[in-house]
Amino acid sequence: MRSYDKSRVKLTEARQVLASGVASTLRGSMKPTPLYVESASGVIVKDMDGNEYIDYLLAYGPLILGHAHAGFNEIVSRAMSKGITYGLQHEGEIELARRLTELLPCADKVSLSGSGTEAVMLALRLARAFTGKRKIIRFHGHYHGWSDSIFTSFPSPDMLQTATSASADNVPPGTKGQSELSLRDVILLPWNDPELLESTLRAHASDIAAVISEPVMCNSGCIMPRPGYLERMRELTRELNIVLILDEVITGFRLSPGGAHGRFGIMPDLVTVGKALGGGIALSAVGGRKDILGLIDSEQVSHLGTLNGNGVAMAAGMAVLDHLTANGGAVFGTMENTAIRLASGIRELFDKHGIPGVVNQIGPVFHMMFISEAEVTHFDTFQKRDAAKYAKFAELLLDEGVLVRPNGLWYISAVHAPEHIEATLSAIDRVFFRLKELESNETIG
């Protein structure tokens, strides 16, 4: 058994001065304790107790090049030597913006910011300004950042009456302290239901400014869109003068150089990207139609941010994109093959141990869950997973030297190698034995 004593001591110390003891409340759920890192390189993280882990958390997504990538660090260091941020313009902004418009099929222009939450805030503001309408359709199980205007709780559809009217009075906030009025313009619908989407859009088209959707439901099971669903969403929004926003903060520059919309051949009006784009440096962007982004040109829409377009972030974005697009983007195939090998291996271990479970994988990202259903293609099915069992699995896997997110979402980087995958599968094999022993002891008790 590994010791986590130093991490526990540090957490106690942090709680004296840092609210909740962690800088993002999401990190506090790790068991047996949130880890304190001493260093990290490639896909290996070393904590303050001297334990090492193969990392599939990847800082919740940004580290597509792994930790401390030498080429990335060198480029960022050179940028820092010229000054970190100016509050003035520089050539790096033009270079990154141009590259984004070249890679993202839907992007005539882009606007730069620091986080996925900020990018979504801007996209929603642009949609409302462009259409002159105010309501937003979003979907169960999708995540679009934690701003008041879009952050909802995480209910199961069978526990919440679906909002199908423009009043949307039954959309629950995601946290205490949210304005009671913040979600009054949000209509919450189940995803992958084209008939309900169409009837809602047609009934309230005069009020709906935008539909915002993850192209793949990465945050809730890596659930794929039904065949034709995104295409129908695109047709309806175009017909009814409603802005289609694809939130690609996770899928952008992860599923292909052009993100999910490039891979699927869908042309949204606006796209948000982040996470992988910055490689660990705070960076996000909104890309889309020239006439919509033109509202910023004409100063009808304000877009602010002290650190927007800073030199370090621009250099980081260029470094990531240069690496990912080298050799015709060959690294995307490598990452996907690595993910397929790991996902397939986990499925084989489910069968070997007689443990019911599902792994949904696309590109270098997948969701693993303990569930009796043979497949998970809808959010209501995803809600039936044994989340507590997975959290215990993640805790036991940590003791085997593998770091995963406690909710089941795994990321693969460009530097995960076959030896990491085989070591991880061996660790999972051992953990499955331990899980069965624990369950057997509980049954006996």
Side-chain angles (χ1 to χ4, degrees):
M1 300 294 289
R2 297 181 175 216
S3 169
Y4 306 101
D5 291 345
K6 290 184 179 179
S7 282
R8 287 191 172 98
V9 168
K10 284 296 178 183
L11 181 64
T12 300
E13 180 183 340
R15 283 175 172 160
Q16 305 307 307
V17 291
L18 181 63
S20 80
V22 293
S24 171
T25 52
L26 190 64
R27 303 174 196 167
S29 61
M30 181 173 288
K31 303 295 183 184
T33 185
L35 297 180
Y36 277 77
V37 176
E38 179 181 282
S39 63
S41 179
V43 299
I44 303 300
V45 171
K46 183 178 180 180
D47 70 19
M48 295 187 71
D49 287 279
N51 303 309
E52 292 189 350
Y53 310 92
I54 303 172
D55 184 11
Y56 297 95
L57 178 71
L58 295 181
Y60 295 88
L63 301 179
I64 199 162
L65 303 185
H67 297 272
H69 186 279
F72 177 85
N73 283 1
E74 181 182 351
I75 290 168
V76 169
S77 179
R78 273 203 311 269
M80 291 178 68
S81 71
K82 298 178 181 179
I84 294 174
T85 191
Y86 311 124
L88 299 168
Q89 289 57 248
H90 59 101
E91 191 173 6
E93 295 173 304
I94 303 171
E95 291 175 349
L96 182 60
R98 180 179 291 117
R99 179 62 71 86
L100 290 172
T101 61
E102 292 169 351
L103 291 174
L104 296 171
C106 76
D108 300 323
K109 282 190 171 185
V110 300
S111 187
L112 303 166
S113 52
S115 69
T117 292
E118 292 173 88
V120 168
M121 290 167 61
L122 176 59
L124 297 177
R125 180 176 293 180
L126 285 167
R128 288 187 169 112
F130 184 74
T131 62
K133 298 182 282 185
R134 60 190 182 89
K135 293 197 178 292
I136 306 294
I137 285 182
R138 60 153 297 165
F139 300 97
H140 291 284
H142 292 217
Y143 176 73
H144 304 295
W146 60 283
S147 68
D148 272 19
S149 63
I150 201 69
F151 185 38
T152 65
S153 67
F154 197 71
S156 173
D158 61 6
M159 297 173 62
L160 176 70
Q161 181 182 353
T162 300
T164 57
S165 72
S167 66
D169 291 332
N170 54 348
V171 177
T175 178
K176 286 188 175 182
Q178 249 178 294
S179 165
E180 293 179 2
L181 302 178
S182 63
L183 298 174
R184 64 181 177 181
D185 290 331
V186 171
I187 300 174
L188 184 62
L189 296 180
W191 198 61
N192 261 342
D193 186 335
E195 291 79 16
L196 180 56
L197 176 62
E198 179 168 1
S199 64
T200 305
L201 288 174
R202 293 198 182 281
H204 306 291
S206 61
D207 293 324
I208 297 171
V211 174
I212 185 168
S213 175
E214 295 182 66
V216 177
M217 196 189 283
C218 288
N219 282 292
S220 301
C222 278
I223 295 172
M224 291 288 291
R226 288 172 55 182
Y229 179 63
L230 293 180
E231 290 81 358
R232 187 59 180 149
M233 186 185 293
R234 173 67 285 187
E235 291 169 358
L236 290 166
T237 51
R238 182 179 289 118
E239 175 192 343
L240 298 171
N241 188 33
I242 294 169
V243 173
L244 176 59
I245 305 168
L246 288 186
D247 185 345
E248 295 219 48
V249 170
I250 289 180
T251 56
F253 308 111
R254 180 164 273 113
L255 298 194
S256 80
H261 78 280
R263 180 165 173 157
F264 297 160
I266 304 293
M267 287 290 282
D269 300 303
L270 295 173
V271 64
T272 61
V273 291
K275 288 192 184 290
L277 174 60
I281 301 294
L283 174 60
S284 66
V286 176
R289 287 167 41 183
K290 186 181 297 186
D291 53 347
I292 300 179
L293 272 295
L295 294 170
I296 301 174
D297 294 336
S298 62
E299 299 184 357
Q300 296 178 68
V301 169
S302 295
H303 175 230
L304 308 173
T306 300
L307 300 180
N308 290 353
N310 72 80
V312 173
M314 300 302 95
M318 288 297 292
V320 169
L321 296 179
D322 284 346
H323 185 90
L324 294 179
T325 57
N327 301 315
V331 69
F332 286 98
T334 301
M335 288 190 294
E336 183 151 10
N337 288 336
T338 301
I340 289 170
R341 168 64 188 123
L342 181 52
S344 299
I346 295 172
R347 294 186 190 107
E348 291 169 3
L349 290 171
F350 275 137
D351 291 339
K352 171 183 174 180
H353 290 271
I355 297 175
V358 167
V359 182
N360 283 344
Q361 172 264 325
I362 180 172
V365 59
F366 64 84
H367 207 119
M368 173 187 172
M369 62 203 90
F370 295 101
I371 191 167
S372 58
E373 276 73 7
E375 60 179 14
V376 177
T377 58
H378 292 279
F379 179 63
D380 55 351
T381 307
F382 172 72
Q383 287 288 76
K384 297 176 183 178
R385 74 199 186 284
D386 191 336
K389 184 172 183 177
Y390 187 88
K392 186 62 179 179
F393 165 80
E395 181 180 349
L396 294 174
L397 200 57
L398 194 70
D399 201 45
E400 294 284 348
V402 179
L403 173 61
V404 298
R405 186 172 171 178
N407 79 334
L409 186 63
W410 294 52
Y411 291 106
I412 298 294
S413 76
V415 290
H416 278 95
E419 58 266 28
H420 301 127
I421 303 308
E422 298 313 311
T424 299
L425 290 172
S426 294
I428 294 171
D429 193 15
R430 293 190 294 272
V431 167
F432 277 1
F433 275 115
R434 293 176 64 186
L435 271 179
K436 291 168 70 175
E437 289 176 357
L438 288 172
E439 290 177 343
S440 175
N441 291 336
E442 289 176 358
T443 301
I444 293 172

